[in-house]
Amino acid sequence: MGFVRHENQGIAWWSAPQLEALGLRHGVSERMGGISPAPWNSLNVGGSVGDEQARVAANHTRLMQAMGAENLAQHKTHQVHGTILMEAGPANMRGVQPQPEADGLYTDKRGHVLVKHFADCVPVFVYAPKSGLLALVHAGWRGTVADIAGLAAQKLVQLGADAGGLYAAIGPSIGPCCFEVGEDCAAHFEPGVVLRGAGKPHVDLWQANARFLMQAGVKPGHITLAGLCTACHTDAFFSHRAEKGKTGRFAAVAWME
């Protein structure tokens, strides 16, 4: 089962029904419904791509209102394609400057919204419903290779979750159809996720992250893949590769009610 689309107040987002059924509020936003002009049109929530900060803030507010999270504590970090996991707290509240560097956030608190930004990289949600634990990570190819998804699952286990009770979802991101790489990049991945044919190799980041999650103990049936390629669908999502680096950022958002 893939992700499903929701829309409210002119804002759309995608979520995993399996995680929804377990009580997790979450979603990956589409790019339309905001106020930013091209090349960030229109619901750009990325503050480091050249867009005016006032527009970015207004877009973020629109998204939070549409998803019903505007009155909750919101947490975000400066993403650096690493593997640092940071607990959601005062140091990474939205608006704190400078933002701490971390590509993963986790929490055991309800009503705390984890926020990450994307434009081809992989959003990975990891949820332990029985233990009340949640993680959200930003996995670019470097973060994927370094196992940030598996590290997030391991972190929740360290905090008391049972690995067999973890659920995960891999959101819209660049797909194996479009993630063409050089041999130097392909060499970092297991052969099973490198697709070869005519031309350069392609890497399946979705399966790469799923494999790391399973190695950390997540059951295959507990992992949902959105199967939506951002580079193929620039009408709905920002794509750094397809738009040659001149684009905005959409958000992945998650919280426990």
Side-chain angles (χ1 to χ4, degrees):
M1 183 187 296
F3 277 39
V4 296
R5 187 177 185 271
H6 308 268
E7 187 170 343
N8 184 35
Q9 300 175 21
I11 305 295
W13 66 93
W14 294 77
S15 67
Q18 186 176 53
L19 270 62
E20 284 182 350
L22 293 167
L24 184 68
R25 297 292 303 275
H26 68 288
V28 176
S29 63
E30 289 192 4
R31 66 183 294 168
M32 303 311 292
I35 61 171
S36 294
W40 315 287
N41 52 306
S42 70
L43 193 75
N44 169 47
V45 293
S48 60
V49 293
D51 195 2
E52 289 185 5
Q53 294 302 311
R55 291 194 294 244
V56 173
N59 288 336
H60 177 89
T61 297
R62 286 189 179 201
L63 176 61
M64 292 298 105
Q65 288 175 340
M67 295 187 71
E70 70 271 23
N71 296 320
L72 302 177
Q74 298 159 21
H75 303 268
K76 57 186 293 191
T77 61
H78 178 58
Q79 299 166 185
V80 293
H81 295 273
T83 58
I84 295 174
L85 302 171
M86 189 174 187
E87 184 174 9
N92 47 50
M93 288 285 292
R94 183 173 180 271
V96 170
Q97 295 294 337
Q99 290 179 345
E101 294 183 350
D103 283 84
L105 283 167
Y106 64 91
T107 188
D108 62 355
K109 298 179 177 62
R110 297 188 177 276
H112 283 255
V113 185
L114 310 184
V115 182
K116 287 285 169 191
H117 296 160
F118 301 84
D120 280 341
C121 293
V122 188
V124 183
F125 304 86
V126 187
Y127 180 43
K130 290 185 178 180
S131 304
L133 295 164
L134 168 66
L136 173 61
V137 304
H138 162 264
W141 79 260
R142 291 179 179 83
T144 297
V145 166
D147 191 17
I148 189 171
L151 291 172
Q154 292 168 32
K155 170 59 72 174
L156 299 194
V157 171
Q158 290 170 9
L159 294 172
D162 172 35
L166 293 177
Y167 291 80
I170 296 170
S173 45
I174 194 166
C177 47
C178 294
F179 192 45
E180 182 182 87
V181 302
E183 290 293 347
D184 54 340
C185 178
H188 290 281
F189 291 88
E190 293 181 6
V193 301
V194 179
L195 312 178
R196 295 187 179 277
K200 293 182 178 180
H202 288 224
V203 169
D204 188 339
L205 293 176
W206 303 339
Q207 286 299 328
N209 280 285
R211 288 185 178 203
F212 280 123
L213 287 165
M214 288 186 284
Q215 289 171 16
V218 184
K219 296 177 180 178
H222 289 189
I223 301 173
T224 301
L225 302 183
L228 291 167
C229 175
T230 48
C232 285
H233 298 287
T234 54
D235 57 327
F237 303 103
F238 297 111
S239 171
H240 186 271
R241 176 165 292 206
E243 297 175 280
K244 304 187 186 309
K246 296 181 179 179
T247 191
R249 299 291 184 269
F250 57 85
V253 178
W255 75 96
M256 299 180 290
E257 284 192 304

